[in-house]
Amino acid sequence: MATEQPYLHNLSGVFSAPIQAWADAHGQIRGAGAQGIYCGDDRVLNGAVLTVDGREPEWVSTQLRSSKQTDYIYFVRADADVADPLLSLVRARTAESGRIRPGEDTESLTGCTGRVAETLTLESAFREPVTLNVRLALAADSTTMEQIKQGERSLRPVEPAASTWSWRDADTELRLTTGSGGETVPGTVGFNGTTVTIDWAVEVRPGAAAVLEWAVDLTDADSPMLAGDGPPIEAPVSADPRLRNLLQRSISDLNSLRLAHSSHPHDTFLAAGAPWFFTMFGRDSIIAARMLLPITTAIARGTLRALAGRQGTETDHTTAVQPGKILHEVRRTVLTMAESGQALRLPPVYYGTIDATPLWICLLHDTWKAGMPDAEVEELLPNLQDALEWLRDHGDLDGDGFLEYLDTSGHGLVNQGWKDSGDAIRWHDGSLATGPIALAEVQAYAYEAATVGAELLDAFGRPGAQEWRDYAAGMAERFRARFWCEDELGPYPALALDADKKAVDGVTSNMGHLLGTGILNQEEQELVVRRIMDPTMFSGYGVRTLSTTNGGYWPTRYHAGAVWSHDTALIISGMLADGFRNEAAQLASGLLKVAEANEWRLPELFGGHGSDTMRAPVPFPASCRPQAWASASSVVIAAALGPGPAAAGPEGGTAGGHEGLLASAR
């Protein structure tokens, strides 16, 4: 059966991981597509439609207060003879998450709690009181995220008969409450199949607000994901009002993505993004934490420990785990989906990623440089040694000195770099390369990981540093000999090596990730920067994932033409580290325009259309909003366009300033 992934670009949401609520742009939750209220990867309500005297109020404005609160402003037509909108209704929706706390002395906690609540405030300028009947129609649901992403409906309808019910099993519970005291108007709850109604009889007096309230309290006692622990990230200060808007919005988004795993409840990391990836992702969490090092080390330290706690210790082709390997993603259950015509079946803990392990090493080094206490680093040195050995013993499938991937399970990810869709690795003519695939940027990550890993081993008196310096030198030599291509615009690094060890000649943004890693000499850096800045790659808004000259290019193809905010930000970081400040500022200015066009929220990705043809960036309609590494890119943009932001909080361990960004982001 054909499936259609729901679009999100015109939806509105509130988020507090692992709780989220998605509505249409006017605040109504109608059950279409991804609209609904979620706890973890389950949608528990797919409808919340508000009416006044039998018809929907007239929406006029949506006011985003934070990632956790949005206000929807309506007018109610109470008198047909009065043209002025004299009766207003403000619908303030909030999301908050928490934890089940059976005892703080236990090291391992399970279970999460959360609340989605609304306050409805009616105010009138009429001379006489206005009597209204307000109704909220809720629709109970039990649909998994994977079903929603594939456009499917739940096969397990929920029919509540009381204000408390389970949506999946005895470990999950939803409790509906309505305001019944103080200044609020009490509501009457009714049940009919999957529909739950709340009715309020309201008298709105001139100059006196009538307040209605309702909420759903959600409990998932067996959830592996918990709300993040510790203080929230504090927004850095910038004198530039545009950068200030970007940073404030981004930090609000990032705080709404803070999670912890039940096995490490005090180690906070960032969920990859809402709604599709509201969970732990190795690569995404690492990159976002690394970008944030100039303003906080807390997220990086939590991410390092949480991932180290699940580092591979065995070999299993079903999960793609290997000794020393850092995981790709964690889910509650098996994830079954269709991807580019292939049936995916990913186990709850899946290790199918080629780059998370070297990136984990780089994050450990950069967090240490940014102020992570030596004692905390020392605790992770055994994990560092295991991760370095994975580069040598497992990441290189055929002994040629390069890291490559190949899904041997038959139901895992075909591509295992950050461009992990099935059609991402293309020759210049647009045809797909066959694996095993050795990606260009992964070799650079391995080079950097070996270099900084050796520095850590020396600094902490551990043996083996010279082996990894030799490994890095050999990687640079092999890369220089095998990866370079040439076309009419000159030499450039290939996207990858294919199964036959031929250089896949697609011109892509991947080459930009080589900057700042140390694998390129000065001349090679200049060649890469020149190619990245060419109009075939730089759209004016950001760096396209694939050159417009490629036979497979399309501006809204996920990994083959669209622009990803974090991808461009990583390139900016590399340019800054290698001294290309002017080019970095040009790319950062493009992303700042994108943020401004999207109410200061950097999208996960957007169309590769040129800024000379589109007055505003074209949305990629199914992309996450918010998304961790896109939001964290704001710190990189701020570093490229002005003095680096300084951390505001007392948590300590910040690199601080622009130089800190260069030391930590790449």
Side-chain angles (χ1 to χ4, degrees):
M1 180 180 68
T3 60
E4 294 181 339
Q5 183 174 352
Y7 287 167
L8 308 171
H9 64 286
N10 58 351
L11 300 187
S12 171
V14 291
F15 315 95
S16 183
I19 305 299
Q20 54 184 324
W22 289 85
D24 67 18
H26 301 171
Q28 300 280 36
I29 299 176
R30 304 181 188 278
Q35 294 180 37
I37 294 175
Y38 296 76
C39 182
D41 274 350
D42 290 316
R43 182 167 65 185
V44 297
L45 290 173
N46 64 32
V49 176
L50 184 67
T51 57
V52 180
D53 287 343
R55 64 177 182 171
E56 296 185 22
E58 302 275 359
W59 170 87
V60 291
S61 179
T62 296
Q63 300 287 321
L64 184 96
R65 303 303 181 189
S66 72
S67 296
K68 297 182 179 183
Q69 178 178 342
T70 298
D71 293 353
Y72 305 96
I73 300 175
Y74 308 87
F75 288 121
V76 177
R77 295 181 182 270
D79 187 338
D81 295 328
V82 178
D84 290 347
L86 299 183
L87 203 164
S88 67
L89 191 163
V90 178
R91 183 180 192 179
R93 179 177 296 139
T94 59
E96 283 293 341
S97 58
R99 300 177 173 199
I100 298 173
R101 297 182 179 272
E104 288 305 308
D105 57 338
T106 178
E107 185 60 30
S108 179
L109 299 174
T110 60
C112 68
T113 63
R115 163 176 274 219
V116 174
E118 287 189 357
T119 299
L120 312 175
T121 304
L122 291 143
E123 294 184 282
S124 172
F126 286 101
R127 293 183 178 181
E128 301 297 328
V130 178
T131 300
L132 303 170
N133 292 306
V134 179
R135 167 169 283 196
L136 183 73
L138 305 173
D141 194 15
S142 179
T143 308
T144 65
M145 186 65 74
E146 63 183 280
Q147 289 174 307
I148 292 166
K149 191 175 183 183
Q150 297 179 94
E152 299 175 3
R153 304 288 294 185
S154 175
L155 301 179
R156 300 173 299 181
V158 178
E159 296 188 1
S163 294
T164 299
W165 67 86
S166 294
W167 68 80
R168 184 182 58 241
D169 54 39
D171 289 325
T172 62
E173 182 180 272
L174 181 151
R175 183 165 55 90
L176 173 66
T177 59
T178 64
S180 59
E183 300 298 320
T184 63
V185 178
T188 301
V189 181
F191 303 92
N192 183 14
T194 61
T195 301
V196 182
T197 55
I198 309 173
D199 288 288
W200 293 272
V202 185
E203 184 179 71
V204 186
R205 296 178 176 275
V211 180
L212 322 178
E213 291 181 344
W214 72 276
V216 285
D217 291 289
L218 310 169
T219 302
D220 185 348
D222 197 35
S223 172
M225 295 299 164
L226 314 175
D229 200 21
I233 308 166
E234 293 194 30
V237 177
S238 174
D240 185 320
R242 297 174 75 203
L243 291 176
R244 186 165 60 247
N245 288 338
L246 171 63
L247 289 164
Q248 288 175 348
R249 177 66 184 270
S250 298
I251 298 305
S252 178
D253 280 346
L254 290 166
N255 280 322
S256 74
L257 295 171
R258 296 167 69 252
L259 275 179
H261 191 273
S262 58
S263 63
H264 291 76
H266 304 300
D267 293 326
T268 297
F269 57 88
L270 295 173
W276 313 126
F277 309 116
F278 229 37
T279 186
M280 174 188 283
F281 269 70
R283 176 195 309 116
D284 299 53
S285 300
I286 289 169
I287 289 175
R290 203 175 181 196
M291 288 178 170
L292 291 176
L293 280 175
I295 65 171
T296 179
T297 63
I299 296 297
R301 287 149 58 194
T303 301
L304 287 164
R305 288 190 289 263
L307 291 172
R310 287 184 168 271
Q311 189 175 27
T313 58
E314 59 183 357
T315 299
D316 184 345
H317 296 301
T318 302
T319 63
V321 66
Q322 294 164 331
K325 195 175 186 181
I326 298 298
L327 60 79
H328 175 59
E329 67 179 285
V330 176
R331 298 283 186 178
R332 183 186 183 112
T333 60
V334 173
L335 179 67
T336 303
M337 300 193 69
E339 178 74 30
S340 299
Q342 178 204 12
L344 291 180
R345 189 175 186 277
L346 305 184
V349 183
Y350 179 58
Y351 288 79
T353 170
I354 191 66
D355 51 10
T357 306
L359 288 172
W360 185 93
I361 296 170
C362 295
L363 179 63
L364 177 63
H365 169 268
D366 291 351
T367 310
W368 170 56
K369 285 291 189 180
M372 184 178 184
D374 285 357
E376 293 185 26
V377 178
E378 284 194 278
E379 290 178 359
L380 294 172
L381 290 181
N383 304 98
L384 167 67
Q385 291 173 312
D386 289 347
L388 286 167
E389 291 172 8
W390 177 87
L391 301 180
R392 179 193 64 207
D393 299 340
H394 300 283
D396 181 1
L397 297 180
D398 53 15
D400 67 345
F402 295 118
L403 271 64
E404 54 259 311
Y405 59 81
L406 181 70
D407 173 51
T408 57
S409 71
H411 52 71
L413 292 171
V414 172
N415 286 316
Q416 297 183 5
W418 87 259
K419 296 178 180 176
D420 58 4
S421 55
D423 62 352
I425 310 305
R426 294 176 180 267
W427 295 85
H428 182 66
D429 65 6
S431 59
L432 301 183
T434 56
I437 295 291
L439 292 168
E441 77 275 15
V442 172
Q443 316 317 312
Y445 298 158
Y447 172 92
E448 184 180 6
T451 303
V452 301
E455 182 182 348
L456 280 165
L457 293 176
D458 271 348
F460 287 87
R462 301 299 176 96
Q466 190 56 47
E467 175 188 355
W468 296 108
R469 291 193 180 92
D470 293 343
Y471 175 96
M475 175 65 80
E477 182 179 350
R478 291 188 296 273
F479 186 90
R480 192 161 287 119
R482 300 296 300 276
F483 266 83
W484 281 85
C485 300
E486 188 166 359
D487 63 9
E488 65 279 2
L489 294 179
Y492 65 94
L495 166 59
L497 302 182
D498 74 348
D500 298 321
K501 303 302 175 183
K502 294 180 180 179
V504 180
D505 60 354
V507 177
T508 69
S509 62
N510 299 56
M511 71 176 75
H513 292 221
L514 309 179
L515 298 168
T517 64
I519 200 170
L520 301 177
N521 61 34
Q522 178 67 32
E523 179 183 0
E524 292 165 343
Q525 292 169 10
E526 291 173 357
L527 290 170
V528 169
V529 170
R530 187 179 307 132
R531 182 57 65 102
I532 287 293
M533 300 305 296
D534 190 85
T536 58
M537 288 298 295
F538 178 37
S539 73
Y541 291 124
V543 179
R544 298 180 179 97
T545 44
L546 188 69
S547 169
T548 57
T549 62
N550 192 284
Y553 169 79
W554 183 254
T556 49
R557 184 164 274 154
Y558 199 57
H559 288 135
V563 176
W564 288 63
S565 295
H566 90 282
D567 187 25
T568 298
L570 287 176
I571 294 170
I572 293 169
S573 291
M575 287 180 171
L576 291 173
D578 287 341
F580 297 92
R581 288 196 56 85
N582 290 338
E583 293 85 351
Q586 289 181 57
L587 295 184
S589 294
L591 284 183
L592 190 59
K593 294 175 187 174
V594 174
E596 188 170 13
N598 286 274
E599 296 182 306
W600 301 108
R601 171 179 282 158
L602 277 167
E604 179 186 19
L605 68 154
F606 52 93
H609 311 79
S611 61
D612 56 340
T613 62
M614 297 292 175
R615 295 181 62 184
V618 176
F620 188 90
S623 65
C624 288
R625 299 183 305 122
Q627 206 259 3
W629 57 19
S631 297
S633 296
S634 62
V635 177
V636 179
I637 294 169
L641 293 179
E651 153 293 295
T654 176
H658 178 62
E659 292 74 19
L661 178 66
L662 299 190
S664 62
R666 291 303 301 227

